[in-house]
Structures are given as structure tokens and as C-alpha cells.
Coordinates of all heavy atoms in Angstrom, one line a residue:
M127 N 180.3 -9.3 -35.2 CA 180.6 -9.0 -36.6 C 179.5 -8.0 -37.1 O 178.4 -8.1 -36.7 CB 180.5 -10.2 -37.4 CG 181.8 -10.9 -37.6 SD 181.7 -12.3 -38.6 CE 183.1 -13.2 -37.9
T128 N 179.9 -7.1 -38.0 CA 179.0 -6.1 -38.5 C 178.2 -6.8 -39.6 O 178.5 -7.8 -40.1 CB 179.8 -5.0 -39.1 OG1 180.5 -5.4 -40.2 CG2 180.8 -4.3 -38.1
V129 N 177.1 -6.1 -39.9 CA 176.2 -6.6 -40.9 C 176.9 -6.6 -42.3 O 176.7 -7.5 -43.0 CB 174.9 -5.6 -41.0 CG1 174.0 -6.0 -42.2 CG2 174.1 -5.7 -39.7
A130 N 177.8 -5.6 -42.5 CA 178.5 -5.6 -43.8 C 179.4 -6.8 -43.9 O 179.5 -7.4 -45.0 CB 179.3 -4.3 -43.9
V131 N 180.1 -7.2 -42.8 CA 181.0 -8.4 -42.8 C 180.2 -9.6 -43.1 O 180.5 -10.5 -43.9 CB 181.8 -8.5 -41.5 CG1 182.6 -9.8 -41.5 CG2 182.8 -7.3 -41.5
L132 N 179.0 -9.8 -42.3 CA 178.2 -11.0 -42.5 C 177.7 -11.0 -44.0 O 177.7 -12.1 -44.6 CB 177.0 -10.9 -41.6 CG 177.4 -11.1 -40.1 CD1 176.1 -10.9 -39.2 CD2 177.9 -12.5 -39.9
G133 N 177.3 -9.9 -44.5 CA 176.8 -9.9 -45.9 C 177.9 -10.3 -46.9 O 177.7 -11.0 -47.9
A134 N 179.1 -9.8 -46.6 CA 180.3 -10.1 -47.5 C 180.6 -11.6 -47.4 O 180.8 -12.3 -48.5 CB 181.5 -9.3 -47.1
I135 N 180.5 -12.2 -46.2 CA 180.8 -13.6 -46.1 C 179.7 -14.4 -46.8 O 180.0 -15.3 -47.6 CB 180.8 -14.1 -44.6 CG1 182.1 -13.5 -44.0 CG2 180.8 -15.6 -44.5 CD1 182.1 -13.6 -42.4
R136 N 178.4 -14.0 -46.6 CA 177.3 -14.7 -47.3 C 177.5 -14.6 -48.8 O 177.3 -15.6 -49.5 CB 176.0 -14.0 -46.9 CG 174.8 -14.6 -47.4 CD 173.5 -14.1 -46.8 NE 173.5 -14.5 -45.4 CZ 173.2 -13.7 -44.4 NH1 172.9 -12.5 -44.6 NH2 173.3 -14.1 -43.1
N137 N 177.8 -13.4 -49.3 CA 178.0 -13.2 -50.8 C 179.1 -14.0 -51.4 O 179.0 -14.6 -52.4 CB 178.2 -11.8 -51.1 CG 176.9 -11.0 -50.9 OD1 175.8 -11.5 -51.0 ND2 177.0 -9.7 -50.7
V138 N 180.3 -14.1 -50.7 CA 181.4 -14.7 -51.2 C 181.2 -16.3 -51.3 O 181.9 -16.9 -52.1 CB 182.7 -14.3 -50.5 CG1 182.8 -15.0 -49.2 CG2 183.9 -14.5 -51.3
L139 N 180.4 -16.8 -50.4 CA 180.2 -18.2 -50.4 C 179.2 -18.8 -51.4 O 179.1 -20.0 -51.6 CB 179.8 -18.7 -49.0 CG 180.8 -18.5 -47.9 CD1 180.3 -18.9 -46.5 CD2 182.1 -19.3 -48.2
Q140 N 178.4 -17.9 -52.0 CA 177.5 -18.3 -53.0 C 178.2 -19.0 -54.2 O 179.1 -18.4 -54.8 CB 176.7 -17.1 -53.5 CG 175.8 -16.5 -52.5 CD 174.8 -17.5 -51.9 OE1 174.1 -18.2 -52.6 NE2 174.7 -17.5 -50.5
G141 N 177.7 -20.2 -54.6 CA 178.3 -20.9 -55.7 C 179.6 -21.6 -55.4 O 180.3 -22.1 -56.3
V142 N 180.0 -21.6 -54.1 CA 181.3 -22.2 -53.8 C 181.1 -23.6 -53.3 O 180.2 -23.9 -52.6 CB 182.0 -21.4 -52.6 CG1 183.2 -22.1 -52.0 CG2 182.4 -20.0 -53.1
D143 N 182.0 -24.5 -53.7 CA 181.9 -25.9 -53.3 C 182.7 -26.2 -52.1 O 182.4 -27.0 -51.2 CB 182.3 -26.9 -54.5 CG 181.3 -26.9 -55.6 OD1 180.1 -26.8 -55.3 OD2 181.7 -27.0 -56.7
V144 N 184.0 -25.6 -52.1 CA 184.9 -25.9 -51.0 C 185.5 -24.6 -50.5 O 185.9 -23.7 -51.2 CB 186.1 -26.8 -51.5 CG1 187.1 -27.1 -50.4 CG2 185.6 -28.1 -52.1
V145 N 185.4 -24.5 -49.1 CA 186.0 -23.3 -48.4 C 187.3 -23.8 -47.8 O 187.3 -24.8 -47.0 CB 185.0 -22.8 -47.4 CG1 185.7 -21.8 -46.5 CG2 183.8 -22.3 -48.1
Y146 N 188.4 -23.0 -48.0 CA 189.6 -23.2 -47.2 C 189.7 -22.2 -46.1 O 189.7 -21.0 -46.4 CB 190.8 -23.1 -48.2 CG 191.0 -24.3 -49.1 CD1 190.3 -24.3 -50.3 CD2 191.7 -25.4 -48.8 CE1 190.4 -25.3 -51.2 CE2 191.8 -26.4 -49.6 CZ 191.1 -26.4 -50.8 OH 191.2 -27.5 -51.7
Y147 N 189.7 -22.6 -44.9 CA 189.6 -21.7 -43.8 C 191.0 -21.5 -43.2 O 191.6 -22.5 -42.6 CB 188.7 -22.3 -42.7 CG 188.3 -21.3 -41.6 CD1 187.2 -20.4 -41.8 CD2 189.0 -21.2 -40.4 CE1 186.9 -19.5 -40.9 CE2 188.7 -20.3 -39.5 CZ 187.6 -19.4 -39.7 OH 187.3 -18.5 -38.8
L148 N 191.5 -20.3 -43.3 CA 192.9 -20.0 -42.9 C 192.9 -18.9 -41.8 O 194.0 -18.4 -41.5 CB 193.7 -19.6 -44.1 CG 193.7 -20.6 -45.3 CD1 194.4 -19.9 -46.5 CD2 194.5 -21.8 -44.9
V149 N 191.8 -18.5 -41.3 CA 191.7 -17.4 -40.4 C 192.3 -17.7 -39.0 O 192.1 -18.8 -38.5 CB 190.3 -16.9 -40.2 CG1 190.1 -15.8 -39.2 CG2 189.7 -16.5 -41.6
H150 N 193.1 -16.8 -38.5 CA 193.7 -16.9 -37.2 C 194.0 -15.5 -36.6 O 194.6 -14.7 -37.2 CB 195.0 -17.7 -37.3 CG 195.6 -18.1 -36.0 ND1 194.8 -18.2 -34.8 CD2 196.8 -18.5 -35.6 CE1 195.6 -18.5 -33.8 NE2 196.8 -18.7 -34.3
S151 N 193.5 -15.3 -35.4 CA 193.5 -14.0 -34.8 C 194.5 -13.9 -33.7 O 194.3 -13.2 -32.7 CB 192.1 -13.6 -34.3 OG 191.1 -13.7 -35.3
L152 N 195.6 -14.6 -33.8 CA 196.5 -14.7 -32.7 C 197.0 -13.3 -32.1 O 197.3 -13.2 -30.9 CB 197.7 -15.6 -33.0 CG 198.7 -15.9 -31.9 CD1 198.0 -16.6 -30.8 CD2 199.8 -16.8 -32.4
G153 N 197.1 -12.3 -32.9 CA 197.6 -11.0 -32.5 C 196.7 -10.3 -31.6 O 197.1 -9.3 -30.9
A154 N 195.5 -10.7 -31.5 CA 194.5 -10.0 -30.7 C 194.4 -10.6 -29.3 O 194.6 -11.8 -29.1 CB 193.1 -10.1 -31.3
P155 N 194.2 -9.8 -28.3 CA 194.2 -10.3 -26.9 C 193.0 -11.4 -26.7 O 193.2 -12.3 -25.9 CB 193.9 -9.1 -26.0 CG 193.8 -7.9 -26.9 CD 194.0 -8.3 -28.3
D156 N 191.9 -11.2 -27.4 CA 190.8 -12.1 -27.3 C 190.8 -13.0 -28.5 O 189.7 -13.4 -29.0 CB 189.5 -11.4 -27.1 CG 189.2 -10.4 -28.2 OD1 190.2 -10.1 -29.0 OD2 188.1 -9.9 -28.3
F157 N 191.9 -13.5 -29.0 CA 192.0 -14.3 -30.3 C 191.1 -15.5 -30.2 O 190.5 -15.9 -31.2 CB 193.5 -14.6 -30.6 CG 194.1 -15.6 -29.7 CD1 194.0 -17.0 -30.0 CD2 194.8 -15.3 -28.6 CE1 194.6 -17.9 -29.2 CE2 195.4 -16.2 -27.7 CZ 195.3 -17.6 -28.1
A158 N 191.1 -16.2 -29.1 CA 190.3 -17.5 -29.1 C 188.8 -17.2 -29.3 O 188.2 -17.9 -30.1 CB 190.5 -18.2 -27.7
E159 N 188.3 -16.1 -28.7 CA 186.9 -15.8 -28.9 C 186.6 -15.3 -30.3 O 185.6 -15.7 -31.0 CB 186.4 -14.7 -27.9 CG 185.0 -14.2 -28.1 CD 183.9 -15.3 -28.1 OE1 184.1 -16.3 -27.4 OE2 182.9 -15.1 -28.7
L160 N 187.5 -14.5 -30.9 CA 187.3 -14.0 -32.2 C 187.4 -15.2 -33.2 O 186.6 -15.3 -34.2 CB 188.5 -13.1 -32.6 CG 188.4 -11.7 -31.9 CD1 189.7 -10.9 -32.2 CD2 187.2 -10.9 -32.4
D161 N 188.3 -16.2 -33.0 CA 188.4 -17.3 -33.9 C 187.1 -18.2 -33.8 O 186.6 -18.7 -34.8 CB 189.6 -18.1 -33.6 CG 190.9 -17.4 -34.1 OD1 190.8 -16.5 -34.8 OD2 192.0 -17.9 -33.7
R162 N 186.7 -18.4 -32.6 CA 185.4 -19.3 -32.4 C 184.2 -18.6 -33.1 O 183.5 -19.3 -33.8 CB 185.1 -19.5 -31.0 CG 185.8 -20.6 -30.3 CD 185.2 -21.0 -28.9 NE 185.2 -19.8 -28.1 CZ 186.2 -19.4 -27.3 NH1 187.4 -20.1 -27.3 NH2 186.1 -18.4 -26.5
R163 N 184.1 -17.3 -32.9 CA 183.0 -16.6 -33.5 C 183.0 -16.6 -35.0 O 182.1 -16.9 -35.7 CB 182.9 -15.2 -32.9 CG 181.6 -14.5 -33.2 CD 181.5 -13.2 -32.5 NE 182.7 -12.8 -31.7 CZ 183.1 -11.6 -31.4 NH1 182.3 -10.6 -31.8 NH2 184.2 -11.3 -30.7
G164 N 184.2 -16.3 -35.5 CA 184.4 -16.3 -37.0 C 184.1 -17.7 -37.6 O 183.5 -17.8 -38.6
A165 N 184.6 -18.7 -37.0 CA 184.4 -20.1 -37.5 C 182.9 -20.5 -37.4 O 182.4 -21.1 -38.3 CB 185.3 -21.1 -36.7
S166 N 182.3 -20.1 -36.4 CA 180.8 -20.4 -36.3 C 180.0 -19.7 -37.4 O 179.1 -20.3 -38.0 CB 180.3 -19.9 -34.9 OG 180.9 -20.7 -33.9
V167 N 180.4 -18.4 -37.7 CA 179.7 -17.7 -38.7 C 180.0 -18.4 -40.1 O 179.0 -18.6 -40.9 CB 180.2 -16.2 -38.8 CG1 179.7 -15.5 -40.0 CG2 179.6 -15.5 -37.5
V168 N 181.2 -18.7 -40.3 CA 181.5 -19.4 -41.6 C 180.8 -20.7 -41.7 O 180.3 -21.0 -42.8 CB 183.1 -19.5 -41.8 CG1 183.4 -20.4 -43.0 CG2 183.7 -18.2 -42.0
A169 N 180.8 -21.5 -40.7 CA 180.1 -22.8 -40.7 C 178.6 -22.6 -41.0 O 178.0 -23.3 -41.9 CB 180.2 -23.5 -39.4
R170 N 178.0 -21.6 -40.4 CA 176.5 -21.3 -40.6 C 176.3 -20.9 -42.0 O 175.4 -21.3 -42.7 CB 176.0 -20.3 -39.6 CG 174.5 -20.0 -39.7 CD 174.1 -19.0 -38.7 NE 174.7 -17.7 -39.1 CZ 175.4 -17.0 -38.2 NH1 175.6 -17.4 -37.0 NH2 175.9 -15.8 -38.6
E171 N 177.1 -19.9 -42.5 CA 176.9 -19.3 -43.8 C 177.3 -20.3 -44.9 O 176.6 -20.4 -46.0 CB 177.7 -18.0 -44.0 CG 177.2 -16.9 -43.0 CD 175.7 -16.6 -43.3 OE1 175.2 -16.7 -44.4 OE2 175.1 -16.2 -42.3
A172 N 178.2 -21.2 -44.6 CA 178.6 -22.2 -45.6 C 177.4 -23.2 -45.8 O 177.1 -23.6 -46.9 CB 179.9 -23.0 -45.2
E173 N 176.8 -23.6 -44.7 CA 175.6 -24.4 -44.8 C 174.5 -23.8 -45.5 O 173.9 -24.4 -46.4 CB 175.2 -24.8 -43.3 CG 174.1 -25.8 -43.3 CD 173.8 -26.2 -41.9 OE1 174.5 -25.9 -40.9 OE2 172.7 -26.8 -41.7
A174 N 174.2 -22.5 -45.3 CA 173.2 -21.8 -46.0 C 173.4 -21.7 -47.4 O 172.5 -21.7 -48.2 CB 173.0 -20.4 -45.3
A175 N 174.7 -21.6 -47.8 CA 175.1 -21.4 -49.2 C 175.2 -22.7 -50.0 O 175.4 -22.7 -51.2 CB 176.4 -20.6 -49.3
G176 N 175.1 -23.8 -49.3 CA 175.2 -25.1 -50.0 C 176.7 -25.5 -50.2 O 176.9 -26.4 -51.1
V177 N 177.6 -25.0 -49.5 CA 179.0 -25.4 -49.6 C 179.1 -26.9 -49.2 O 178.4 -27.4 -48.3 CB 179.9 -24.6 -48.7 CG1 181.3 -25.1 -48.6 CG2 179.9 -23.1 -49.1
R178 N 179.9 -27.6 -49.9 CA 180.0 -29.1 -49.7 C 181.1 -29.5 -48.7 O 181.0 -30.5 -48.0 CB 180.3 -29.8 -51.0 CG 179.2 -29.7 -52.0 CD 179.5 -30.4 -53.3 NE 180.9 -30.4 -53.5 CZ 181.6 -31.4 -54.1 NH1 181.0 -32.4 -54.6 NH2 182.9 -31.3 -54.3
Q179 N 182.1 -28.6 -48.6 CA 183.2 -29.0 -47.7 C 184.0 -27.8 -47.2 O 184.1 -26.8 -47.9 CB 184.2 -29.9 -48.4 CG 185.3 -30.4 -47.6 CD 186.2 -31.4 -48.4 OE1 186.2 -31.4 -49.6 NE2 187.0 -32.2 -47.7
I180 N 184.4 -27.8 -45.9 CA 185.3 -26.8 -45.3 C 186.6 -27.5 -45.0 O 186.6 -28.5 -44.3 CB 184.7 -26.2 -44.1 CG1 183.4 -25.5 -44.3 CG2 185.7 -25.3 -43.4 CD1 182.6 -25.0 -43.1
V181 N 187.7 -27.0 -45.6 CA 189.0 -27.5 -45.3 C 189.7 -26.6 -44.3 O 189.8 -25.4 -44.6 CB 189.8 -27.7 -46.6 CG1 191.2 -28.1 -46.3 CG2 189.1 -28.6 -47.6
Y182 N 190.0 -27.1 -43.2 CA 190.6 -26.2 -42.1 C 192.1 -26.6 -42.0 O 192.4 -27.7 -41.7 CB 189.8 -26.4 -40.8 CG 190.5 -25.8 -39.6 CD1 190.8 -24.4 -39.6 CD2 190.8 -26.5 -38.5 CE1 191.3 -23.8 -38.5 CE2 191.4 -25.9 -37.4 CZ 191.6 -24.6 -37.4 OH 192.2 -24.0 -36.3
L183 N 192.9 -25.6 -42.1 CA 194.3 -25.8 -42.0 C 194.8 -25.1 -40.7 O 195.1 -23.9 -40.6 CB 195.1 -25.2 -43.2 CG 194.6 -25.7 -44.5 CD1 195.3 -24.9 -45.6 CD2 194.9 -27.2 -44.7
G184 N 194.7 -25.9 -39.6 CA 195.0 -25.3 -38.3 C 196.3 -25.9 -37.7 O 197.0 -26.6 -38.4
G185 N 196.6 -25.6 -36.5 CA 197.8 -26.1 -35.8 C 197.7 -27.6 -35.5 O 196.6 -28.1 -35.2
L186 N 198.8 -28.2 -35.5 CA 198.8 -29.6 -35.0 C 198.8 -29.7 -33.5 O 199.4 -28.8 -32.8 CB 200.1 -30.3 -35.6 CG 200.2 -30.4 -37.1 CD1 201.5 -31.0 -37.4 CD2 199.0 -31.2 -37.6
G187 N 198.1 -30.6 -33.0 CA 198.1 -30.7 -31.5 C 197.2 -31.9 -31.1 O 196.7 -32.6 -32.0
D188 N 197.0 -32.0 -29.9 CA 196.1 -33.1 -29.4 C 195.1 -32.4 -28.4 O 195.1 -31.2 -28.3 CB 196.9 -34.2 -28.7 CG 197.9 -33.7 -27.7 OD1 197.5 -32.8 -26.9 OD2 199.0 -34.3 -27.6
D189 N 194.4 -33.2 -27.7 CA 193.4 -32.6 -26.8 C 193.7 -32.7 -25.3 O 192.8 -32.8 -24.5 CB 192.0 -33.2 -27.1 CG 192.0 -34.7 -26.9 OD1 193.0 -35.3 -26.6 OD2 190.9 -35.3 -27.2
H190 N 195.0 -32.8 -25.0 CA 195.4 -32.8 -23.6 C 195.0 -31.5 -22.9 O 194.9 -30.5 -23.5 CB 196.9 -33.1 -23.4 CG 197.3 -34.5 -23.8 ND1 198.2 -34.7 -24.8 CD2 196.9 -35.6 -23.3 CE1 198.3 -36.0 -24.9 NE2 197.5 -36.6 -24.0
R191 N 194.8 -31.6 -21.6 CA 194.4 -30.4 -20.8 C 195.5 -29.4 -20.7 O 195.2 -28.2 -20.5 CB 194.1 -30.9 -19.4 CG 192.8 -31.6 -19.2 CD 192.5 -31.9 -17.8 NE 191.3 -32.6 -17.7 CZ 191.0 -33.5 -16.8 NH1 191.9 -33.7 -15.8 NH2 189.9 -34.1 -16.7
D192 N 196.7 -29.8 -20.9 CA 197.8 -28.8 -20.7 C 198.2 -28.1 -22.0 O 199.3 -27.6 -22.1 CB 199.0 -29.4 -20.0 CG 199.6 -30.6 -20.8 OD1 198.9 -31.1 -21.7 OD2 200.7 -31.1 -20.5
L193 N 197.4 -28.1 -23.0 CA 197.7 -27.4 -24.3 C 197.9 -25.9 -24.0 O 197.2 -25.3 -23.2 CB 196.6 -27.6 -25.3 CG 196.5 -29.0 -25.9 CD1 195.3 -29.0 -26.9 CD2 197.7 -29.4 -26.7
S194 N 198.7 -25.3 -24.9 CA 198.8 -23.9 -24.8 C 197.5 -23.3 -25.2 O 196.7 -23.9 -25.9 CB 199.9 -23.4 -25.8 OG 199.5 -23.6 -27.1
P195 N 197.2 -22.0 -24.9 CA 196.0 -21.3 -25.3 C 195.9 -21.3 -26.8 O 194.8 -21.5 -27.4 CB 196.1 -19.9 -24.7 CG 197.0 -20.1 -23.5 CD 198.0 -21.2 -23.9
H196 N 197.0 -21.2 -27.5 CA 197.0 -21.2 -29.0 C 196.5 -22.5 -29.5 O 195.6 -22.5 -30.4 CB 198.4 -20.9 -29.5 CG 198.6 -21.1 -30.9 ND1 198.2 -20.2 -31.9 CD2 199.2 -22.2 -31.6 CE1 198.5 -20.7 -33.1 NE2 199.1 -21.9 -32.9
L197 N 197.1 -23.6 -29.1 CA 196.6 -24.9 -29.6 C 195.2 -25.3 -29.2 O 194.5 -25.9 -30.0 CB 197.6 -26.0 -29.2 CG 199.0 -26.0 -29.9 CD1 199.9 -27.1 -29.4 CD2 198.8 -26.1 -31.4
R198 N 194.8 -24.9 -28.0 CA 193.5 -25.1 -27.5 C 192.5 -24.3 -28.5 O 191.4 -24.8 -28.8 CB 193.3 -24.7 -26.1 CG 192.0 -25.1 -25.5 CD 191.8 -24.9 -24.0 NE 192.6 -23.8 -23.4 CZ 193.8 -23.9 -22.8 NH1 194.3 -25.1 -22.6 NH2 194.4 -22.8 -22.3
S199 N 192.9 -23.1 -28.8 CA 192.1 -22.3 -29.7 C 191.9 -23.0 -31.1 O 190.8 -22.9 -31.7 CB 192.7 -20.9 -29.9 OG 192.0 -20.2 -30.9
R200 N 193.0 -23.6 -31.6 CA 192.9 -24.3 -32.9 C 191.9 -25.4 -32.8 O 191.1 -25.6 -33.8 CB 194.3 -24.9 -33.3 CG 195.4 -23.9 -33.3 CD 195.3 -22.8 -34.4 NE 194.4 -21.8 -34.0 CZ 193.5 -21.2 -34.7 NH1 193.3 -21.5 -36.0 NH2 192.7 -20.2 -34.2
I201 N 191.8 -26.2 -31.7 CA 190.8 -27.2 -31.6 C 189.4 -26.7 -31.5 O 188.5 -27.2 -32.1 CB 191.2 -28.1 -30.4 CG1 192.5 -28.9 -30.6 CG2 190.0 -29.1 -30.0 CD1 193.0 -29.6 -29.4
E202 N 189.3 -25.6 -30.8 CA 188.0 -25.0 -30.6 C 187.5 -24.4 -32.0 O 186.3 -24.5 -32.3 CB 188.0 -23.8 -29.6 CG 188.2 -24.4 -28.2 CD 188.6 -23.3 -27.2 OE1 188.7 -22.1 -27.6 OE2 188.7 -23.6 -26.0
T203 N 188.4 -23.9 -32.8 CA 188.0 -23.4 -34.1 C 187.6 -24.6 -35.0 O 186.6 -24.5 -35.7 CB 189.2 -22.7 -34.7 OG1 189.6 -21.5 -34.0 CG2 188.9 -22.2 -36.2
A204 N 188.3 -25.7 -34.9 CA 187.9 -26.9 -35.7 C 186.5 -27.3 -35.3 O 185.7 -27.7 -36.1 CB 188.9 -28.0 -35.5
T205 N 186.2 -27.3 -34.0 CA 184.9 -27.8 -33.5 C 183.8 -26.9 -34.0 O 182.8 -27.3 -34.4 CB 185.0 -27.8 -31.9 OG1 186.0 -28.7 -31.5 CG2 183.6 -28.2 -31.4
A206 N 184.1 -25.5 -34.0 CA 183.1 -24.6 -34.4 C 182.8 -24.8 -35.9 O 181.7 -24.7 -36.4 CB 183.5 -23.2 -34.2
L207 N 183.9 -25.0 -36.7 CA 183.7 -25.2 -38.1 C 182.9 -26.5 -38.4 O 182.2 -26.6 -39.4 CB 185.1 -25.3 -38.8 CG 185.8 -24.0 -39.0 CD1 187.2 -24.2 -39.4 CD2 185.0 -23.0 -39.9
A208 N 183.1 -27.5 -37.6 CA 182.4 -28.8 -37.8 C 181.0 -28.8 -37.2 O 180.3 -29.8 -37.2 CB 183.2 -29.9 -37.2
S209 N 180.6 -27.7 -36.6 CA 179.3 -27.7 -35.9 C 178.1 -27.7 -36.8 O 177.0 -28.0 -36.4 CB 179.2 -26.4 -35.0 OG 179.2 -25.2 -35.8
G210 N 178.2 -27.4 -38.1 CA 177.1 -27.4 -39.0 C 177.1 -28.7 -39.8 O 177.8 -29.7 -39.4
S211 N 176.4 -28.7 -40.9 CA 176.3 -29.9 -41.7 C 177.3 -30.0 -42.8 O 177.4 -31.0 -43.5 CB 174.9 -29.9 -42.4 OG 174.8 -28.9 -43.3
V212 N 178.2 -29.0 -42.9 CA 179.2 -29.0 -44.0 C 180.4 -29.7 -43.4 O 180.8 -29.5 -42.3 CB 179.6 -27.6 -44.4 CG1 180.7 -27.6 -45.5 CG2 178.4 -26.8 -44.9

């Protein structure tokens, strides 16, 4: 992510209590990596900004080994969002 994007995320989260996370990069060939990285940044910046809650609206699924790459990515995104204290 560029410095401008990180700054924009940091700025938009100031004074926010709840973040609704709807980002999904399915159209990109490396969508899973983009989604994990984006979720990690939002989790870190939400914590720094004092956000109280992140609401993630992802795909429904379970954690079986045979999940599609899409559903596996949704679980990984949720894990990245939950990696901080928010």
C-alpha cells in the first residue's frame, strides 16, 4: 500500500466507533493476498484510532480443507481483521 492510502485509512478512522469492512478483491489474480494485507492494515489502524468494533460482512462458509479459494480467503480476511485488539 502506498503512503497516501495508509494516510487516508488512518485519517478516515479518526473518531470512528464502528468500522464496516466490505472490501473484497476477487477480480484480481492475487485477491487473497490483497484482502489479507488490506484487512491487516485496517485492523492495525483501527486499533491505533481507538475504534471499538469492526463488523465484517464476508462469505458464509466453514473451515474444511476443501473450501474454494474464495471462501478460504474470506476466513483469512476475518482472521486478519481479528488479529488486533478491536
Side-chain angles (χ1 to χ4, degrees):
M127 268 184 207
T128 67
V129 172
V131 171
L132 290 172
I135 292 169
R136 184 170 293 137
N137 287 338
V138 78
L139 292 176
Q140 294 303 313
V142 170
D143 289 325
V144 179
V145 170
Y146 288 86
Y147 193 85
L148 305 170
V149 177
H150 188 20
S151 307
L152 187 58
D156 57 345
F157 71 91
E159 174 58 27
L160 289 171
D161 285 349
R162 274 191 307 275
R163 196 170 3 153
S166 294
V167 167
V168 168
R170 183 182 66 237
E171 295 301 328
E173 185 174 349
V177 171
R178 294 179 332 148
Q179 184 177 19
I180 298 173
V181 177
Y182 172 55
L183 305 174
L186 297 176
D188 53 37
D189 58 0
H190 288 121
R191 288 186 181 148
D192 60 347
L193 287 178
S194 70
H196 169 77
L197 287 178
R198 189 171 31 260
S199 173
R200 303 295 80 221
I201 292 171
E202 292 168 356
T203 298
T205 301
L207 288 169
S209 66
S211 66
V212 181

